[in-house]
Amino acid sequence: MIPVQGLAGSRVAVLGLGRSGLSAALALRAGGAAPVCWDDNPQARAAAEAEGLACAPFKSAQAFEGIARLIVSPGIPHLYPAPNPVVAFALEAGVPVDNDIGLFFQSFATREWDNFETMPRVVAVTGSNGKSTTSALIHHILEHVQRPCQLAGNIGRGVLDLEPAVDGEVVVLELSSYQTDLARNLTPDVAVFTNLSPDHLDRHHGMGGYFAAKRRLFAEGGPDRAVVGVDEDEGRFLAGQLSQGPTDDRVIRVSVERKLTGPGWQVFARKGFLAEYRKGKQVASIDLRAVAGLPGAHNHQNACAAYAACRTLGLAPKVIELAFHSFGGLPHRSQTIAEANGVRFVNDSKATNVDSAAKALMAFKNIRWICGGLEKEGGLEGLAEASASVRKAYVIGREAAGFAMQLNVEAEVCGSMEVAVARAVAEAEEGDVVLLAPAAASFDQYDSFERRGEDFIAQVRAIIDR
């Protein structure tokens, strides 16, 4: 645990007692603060009280008298579409609002660092798609070279559940827009922006607010190095804002759509090959086509971003290449779960929006596509070009019929995962890929995209293991 610094002796309110909220409350107490907690869920409150934490509701602005700060869990809105009432009371009372990410950055460095030979560093990764894989890949590469490292944030552990840093350690954080939008302190050493596509638009009041939330990771703390995907206008704009000129190698531009040229520092992938250019000259190349854990252009983008981040940490290209080949990928992200009778089964339940599903579709050929769920804003038009390799779609979800009508491929309304998998397996031929890439949220039928992916795996196993 990382004890929170700077709030000793203060009363601090904590709203939301899930993974991040509970760990924040415990870290506040470890740092000498007095947390006062609340969650509308009685079970969450009971878990906090079992840890010896005080729980009390905040029903008015007056309830914040004597409170130094309000710590809010990521899922709780603080501005759009409307502030949570407790957040509104805090703002009315003039109490600063923060989250566990802000607490982490104000507390990570300690006096013990004065005795270290190599200062610990933080690599923070954000973006619409690929940030989990990119973060996990960076962490995997660091483990491969036996460098002390920890992985946390929107993946795995809460940031305040990390152990205090040791000499030369690297902490890799995956940060969502919900986390970067509110944190009062954002000071990574290396910041990574993978890409941007429409998502969480109600929470951020549109694309401008969504991009602004991501941009804060770069604008608030001024990282020493910035790795920026430049295949969208927003990425190109961000790279331009951070750079002092064409030769400024503090900004590393990343692309999977075109060769990048110029006197700066670029990493790009074309036709399955990653290339690194510095000062107009190629300095490294990696063949990504044989890297089983990183299939498709979207994963090649993740590879480029992770490669660039690791290069800023002083790792050699050949070392990074070796680590790529031992990376197994993440569950529910282009995860090959089985092969039977010449048919490959791939679980990409994390493809919860149109852009991520389109990238999954472009990674394979001869696809039996399982899709559908709770449709997000913007419709499904972005899937039209990507679905050229789809032989047939098998649509799940409570609104499967309406979802199917928007697709430009042959589609069968299945409703449940069990029916969809059974129909796809029955019709699949040798060389086909049965791909779960829903292009929708899971909450109409499942608690999470993980549960949806687990159901897909279970249904596949039930058939092929007969």
Side-chain angles (χ1 to χ4, degrees):
M1 176 181 293
I2 296 177
V4 172
Q5 300 183 50
L7 290 168
S10 301
R11 295 177 68 230
V12 179
V14 178
L15 179 61
L17 293 169
R19 183 191 67 178
S20 65
L22 185 59
S23 67
L26 295 172
L28 282 161
R29 186 174 66 183
V36 183
C37 308
W38 187 253
D39 193 299
D40 290 338
N41 185 337
Q43 293 179 332
R45 295 198 302 271
E49 289 170 344
E51 294 283 355
L53 297 167
C55 291
F58 297 89
K59 296 182 178 180
S60 68
Q62 288 69 38
F64 280 91
E65 184 175 348
I67 297 292
R69 196 176 300 182
L70 171 62
I71 306 304
V72 179
S73 293
I76 298 172
H78 58 273
L79 186 56
Y80 300 115
N84 178 278
V86 175
V87 176
F89 291 143
L91 295 173
E92 182 181 345
V95 173
V97 181
D98 202 352
N99 62 14
D100 63 326
I101 304 302
L103 295 179
F104 166 82
F105 278 110
Q106 81 174 48
S107 307
F108 184 50
T110 66
R111 293 187 179 276
E112 294 180 2
W113 291 21
D114 293 340
N115 301 316
F116 290 171
E117 291 185 7
T118 303
M119 288 296 100
R121 305 186 76 184
V122 177
V123 178
V125 182
T126 195
S128 297
N129 299 306
K131 57 186 179 291
S132 294
T133 297
T134 300
S135 301
L137 182 55
I138 295 169
H139 182 254
H140 172 78
I141 295 166
L142 292 168
E143 285 189 319
H144 178 82
V145 299
Q146 299 183 335
R147 185 159 177 179
C149 57
Q150 298 183 74
L151 176 66
N154 202 45
I155 183 173
R157 306 163 71 183
V159 292
L160 294 170
D161 282 334
L162 293 171
E163 298 300 320
V166 300
D167 196 337
E169 186 162 37
V170 179
V171 169
V172 184
L173 301 181
E174 179 200 338
L175 299 181
S176 72
S177 60
Y178 291 4
Q179 294 168 312
T180 58
D181 196 20
L182 188 59
R184 294 174 64 86
N185 294 282
L186 285 168
T187 53
D189 298 284
V190 181
V192 180
F193 176 88
T194 58
N195 51 58
L196 197 77
S197 61
D199 208 358
H200 310 304
L201 299 187
D202 57 337
R203 176 67 178 264
H204 298 295
H205 208 57
M207 279 295 288
Y210 181 45
F211 175 54
K214 300 287 190 185
R215 182 182 174 277
R216 289 190 76 247
L217 181 62
F218 302 82
E220 294 296 312
D224 295 335
R225 299 278 190 184
V227 177
V228 181
V230 294
D231 286 338
E232 295 89 29
D233 290 337
E234 292 86 355
R236 288 188 287 273
F237 177 80
L238 178 61
Q241 281 203 313
L242 297 172
S243 175
Q244 294 298 318
T247 61
D248 187 354
D249 67 359
R250 294 174 303 170
V251 179
I252 307 175
R253 291 168 171 82
V254 168
S255 175
V256 289
E257 292 187 355
R258 64 191 184 282
K259 178 179 179 179
L260 298 177
T261 59
W265 195 350
Q266 296 99 11
V267 178
F268 59 90
R270 295 184 69 201
K271 299 180 179 180
F273 285 86
L274 179 153
E276 177 188 1
Y277 275 69
R278 298 190 73 172
K279 299 180 180 179
K281 296 181 180 179
Q282 182 171 332
V283 297
S285 177
I286 297 174
D287 184 354
L288 298 174
R289 296 172 300 175
V291 180
L294 296 167
H298 62 304
N299 274 312
H300 293 174
Q301 183 182 59
N302 300 333
C304 287
Y307 174 94
C310 289
R311 290 288 282 138
T312 71
L313 299 173
L315 275 62
K318 289 296 183 184
V319 170
I320 299 172
E321 181 177 6
L322 284 173
F324 279 172
H325 285 279
S326 59
F327 180 65
L330 288 179
H332 314 296
R333 297 161 177 86
S334 294
Q335 174 194 19
T336 296
I337 59 167
E339 293 191 31
N341 301 318
V343 177
R344 182 178 179 184
F345 296 86
V346 178
N347 168 26
D348 204 332
S349 185
K350 185 62 170 65
T352 59
N353 59 40
V354 166
D355 186 66
S356 56
K359 289 176 178 176
L361 290 172
M362 289 188 287
F364 304 99
K365 296 180 179 180
N366 303 322
I367 299 170
R368 302 283 176 177
W369 178 27
I370 298 176
C371 58
L374 190 61
E375 188 179 337
K376 295 186 177 181
E377 292 183 21
L380 306 178
E381 291 184 7
L383 294 168
E385 184 177 347
S387 57
S389 294
V390 173
R391 301 190 67 180
K392 184 176 177 179
Y394 306 82
V395 187
I396 64 173
R398 285 190 289 204
E399 299 180 355
F403 196 100
M405 289 179 64
Q406 299 180 64
L407 302 178
N408 67 330
V409 298
E410 180 186 354
E412 179 177 337
V413 175
C414 297
S416 71
M417 185 70 73
E418 181 180 8
V419 173
V421 171
R423 294 293 300 140
V425 171
E427 297 183 351
E429 301 173 356
E430 185 175 351
D432 284 355
V433 174
V434 176
L435 170 67
L436 171 64
S442 60
F443 302 120
D444 59 334
Q445 293 182 306
Y446 302 93
D447 292 339
S448 65
F449 73 83
E450 291 95 341
R451 296 291 178 269
R452 178 171 58 191
E454 289 164 4
D455 190 17
F456 173 70
I457 295 170
Q459 299 301 333
V460 170
R461 294 290 184 197
I463 293 174
I464 67 174
D465 290 345
R466 286 175 184 168

